[in-house]
Amino acid sequence: MSFSRSVGIVLTLASFACMLGTTVAADKPAAQAAARATEQAPALLPQQFGGWQRQGSPLISTDPAAADPTNAAVLKEYRFSDLASSTYTRDDGRTLKIRAARFADASGAFGAYTFYLQPGMAKEQIGDQAASAGQRVLFYRGHVLVDAQFSQESAMSVAQLRELAGALPRPSGNSGNLPSFIEFMPHRDYIANTQKYVMGPAALSAQAPPISADLVDFNASAEVSLAHYNTSSGEATLMLISYPTPQLAAEHLRRIDAARQIAQPKPGGSGTSTVGSPAPFLDRRTGPIVAIATGPASDSDTKSLLGMVNWEASVTWNTPTDNQQARDLYKLILNIVVLCGILGGLAIVAGVAFGGIRIMMKRWYPDKVFDRPEQMEFISLRLTETVVKGVPRSGTESGRPTP
């Protein structure tokens, strides 16, 4: 092997080692930053609340499989952040097991709450929404979902969990807002605890939807809400799909209708369906929302259910924002307006004061302070106009002979 080839191999290996070291060095700060962000986040569970005392340190994990191995993909779609699990005890020997899952925003916590909510649960007044089934209580507050399991129920269990809900960390800014399109879900004839809020295909496939996740197209920032309703002819399922713009909603509605035409059985054969459910359904668009109704209900009841979904545009001027640049620009403009107001006020005050003092001094001390004759300098041009009347001239000069 020649010397030049040896040098080339050594330089290549050195370059590869440098690149590998740079990659590791770049990944290490990112991992450290993520770890610091997790450590700086407020603790999920308090040391004590309502007479309950925590035993030992809570079990903390950022893996959604630790919260629910079966539905880890669903929790990931809801932007799961971290989990804290602890056991609490009281002096009377009762125990309480609590699992608290934190999400990126309130929408994720609300979606996870609806995912685990069962129709047979009883409604409770805890946090933002709550339901119970025997010794188990499920509720969410802000961006935290709590699953509490009592060893023995008591009359004060709900009140004690309210105290826990008040001690949970709260999201900041817009992350505490729920999706606005769920407000267009009809309330009449709604079957309790059947609403599901979906943010991804894994959660959608668990709900037996009328159409597949491919037609919904979550890559277009779509959000889905499903609920069941009682009608005079049977139970119906209503599905709302929200898109960022009405144009996207119209485009996806055309795709859904085209897929439904393909899925319809043809004479002499059976069509292959690309729609999630073989049951027929009706659909319509209202603004950026596509509404789909299906079920054993009659067409008239299904159309009536769809007719209750009406999107109306609303403009909100006081929506808070987390954009620091927008906040800085707002503060700058506000300070400029305030400064202009202050300078304008000072100018008015100074003008009134100067004019008032001048008038008072001229009234009290005329021709002594202001407008004194020796200080008055006025240049005038005395222009006068002299009118000269004409004198009759001699006859020769006038052109007529003198008599």
Side-chain angles (χ1 to χ4, degrees), residues 300-361:
S300 60
D301 289 338
T302 303
K303 291 179 180 179
S304 177
L305 181 60
L306 287 176
M308 290 189 291
V309 181
N310 294 293
W311 179 82
E312 295 180 359
S314 60
V315 179
T316 303
W317 294 96
N318 58 348
T319 302
T321 177
D322 291 331
N323 191 335
Q324 189 61 35
Q325 293 182 351
R327 289 178 179 271
D328 294 341
L329 180 61
Y330 165 76
K331 292 180 179 178
L332 176 61
I333 296 176
L334 179 61
N335 292 334
I336 291 175
V337 172
V338 172
L339 179 60
C340 292
I342 293 174
L343 294 178
L346 291 177
I348 294 173
V349 172
V352 171
F354 177 77
I357 293 174
R358 186 180 181 90
I359 292 174
M360 288 188 298
M361 296 302 293

Side-chain angles (χ1 to χ4, degrees), residues 64-65 71-81 102-105 107-112 115-116 197-207 213 218-219 222-224:
N71 300 301
V74 174
L75 295 179
K76 190 175 180 180
E77 289 176 352
Y78 289 128
R79 298 190 290 271
F80 171 85
S81 176
R102 178 162 38 199
F103 297 84
D105 51 26
S107 297
F110 170 71
F115 180 81
Y116 291 109
Y197 171 65
V198 177
M199 299 176 66
L204 183 65
S205 61
Q207 310 301 331
F218 287 99
N219 293 328
E223 300 173 283
V224 175

Side-chain angles (χ1 to χ4, degrees), residues 269-303:
S270 59
T272 58
S273 175
T274 59
V275 181
S277 173
F281 62 85
L282 298 178
D283 56 17
R284 64 184 290 261
R285 181 183 68 86
T286 170
I289 298 175
V290 174
I292 301 174
T294 184
S298 63
D299 288 348
S300 60
D301 289 338
T302 303
K303 291 179 180 179

Side-chain angles (χ1 to χ4, degrees), residues 3-361:
F3 177 75
S4 60
R5 178 177 293 183
S6 301
V7 173
I9 293 175
V10 171
L11 293 177
T12 303
L13 293 176
S15 301
F16 178 75
C18 291
M19 292 174 60
L20 182 61
T22 303
T23 304
V24 173
D27 292 341
K28 187 175 180 181
Q32 291 177 351
R36 285 195 301 268
T38 304
E39 293 176 357
Q40 293 174 358
L44 276 174
L45 296 176
Q47 181 66 33
Q48 59 182 3
F49 68 92
W52 294 94
Q53 187 71 30
R54 189 176 67 192
Q55 299 298 309
S57 299
L59 299 178
I60 300 175
S61 177
T62 58
D63 185 8
D68 187 350
T70 305
N71 300 301
V74 174
L75 295 179
K76 190 175 180 180
E77 289 176 352
Y78 289 128
R79 298 190 290 271
F80 171 85
S81 176
D82 58 308
L83 169 76
S85 178
S86 295
T87 300
Y88 291 81
T89 61
R90 290 180 68 91
D91 295 338
D92 56 8
R94 287 183 297 158
T95 60
L96 171 61
K97 294 182 179 180
I98 295 180
R99 294 163 58 84
R102 178 162 38 199
F103 297 84
D105 51 26
S107 297
F110 170 71
Y113 170 79
T114 61
F115 180 81
Y116 291 109
L117 185 65
Q118 299 299 322
M121 288 184 168
K123 186 177 181 180
E124 303 288 352
Q125 298 295 329
I126 306 172
D128 295 332
Q129 291 189 44
S132 64
Q135 300 173 353
R136 182 193 178 195
V137 179
L138 182 71
F139 73 91
Y140 82 93
R141 184 176 187 268
H143 61 329
V144 179
L145 175 67
V146 175
D147 188 351
Q149 184 74 36
F150 289 92
S151 62
Q152 183 180 351
E153 290 184 83
S154 69
M156 298 300 296
S157 298
V158 173
Q160 293 161 1
L161 289 180
R162 290 197 192 103
E163 185 174 340
L164 171 63
L168 295 175
R170 296 285 289 173
S172 59
N174 294 334
S175 58
N177 299 332
L178 292 180
S180 59
F181 82 99
I182 63 176
E183 299 176 0
F184 299 100
M185 297 290 292
H187 299 285
R188 190 175 66 186
D189 300 326
Y190 166 69
I191 301 177
N193 297 341
T194 59
Q195 183 181 7
K196 305 294 181 182
Y197 171 65
V198 177
M199 299 176 66
L204 183 65
S205 61
Q207 310 301 331
I211 62 174
S212 65
D214 294 337
L215 291 176
V216 174
D217 190 12
F218 287 99
N219 293 328
S221 300
E223 300 173 283
V224 175
S225 179
L226 300 100
H228 297 282
Y229 292 85
N230 282 322
T231 66
S232 59
S233 58
E235 183 177 315
T237 300
L238 179 64
M239 178 179 182
L240 300 187
I241 311 173
S242 174
Y243 294 96
T245 62
Q247 291 77 13
L248 281 174
E251 178 183 351
H252 285 82
L253 180 61
R254 287 192 293 267
R255 295 180 186 177
I256 293 172
D257 290 337
R260 180 174 56 177
Q261 294 295 330
I262 297 174
Q264 290 180 350
K266 299 179 180 179
S270 59
T272 58
S273 175
T274 59
V275 181
S277 173
F281 62 85
L282 298 178
D283 56 17
R284 64 184 290 261
R285 181 183 68 86
T286 170
I289 298 175
V290 174
I292 301 174
T294 184
S298 63
D299 288 348
S300 60
D301 289 338
T302 303
K303 291 179 180 179
S304 177
L305 181 60
L306 287 176
M308 290 189 291
V309 181
N310 294 293
W311 179 82
E312 295 180 359
S314 60
V315 179
T316 303
W317 294 96
N318 58 348
T319 302
T321 177
D322 291 331
N323 191 335
Q324 189 61 35
Q325 293 182 351
R327 289 178 179 271
D328 294 341
L329 180 61
Y330 165 76
K331 292 180 179 178
L332 176 61
I333 296 176
L334 179 61
N335 292 334
I336 291 175
V337 172
V338 172
L339 179 60
C340 292
I342 293 174
L343 294 178
L346 291 177
I348 294 173
V349 172
V352 171
F354 177 77
I357 293 174
R358 186 180 181 90
I359 292 174
M360 288 188 298
M361 296 302 293

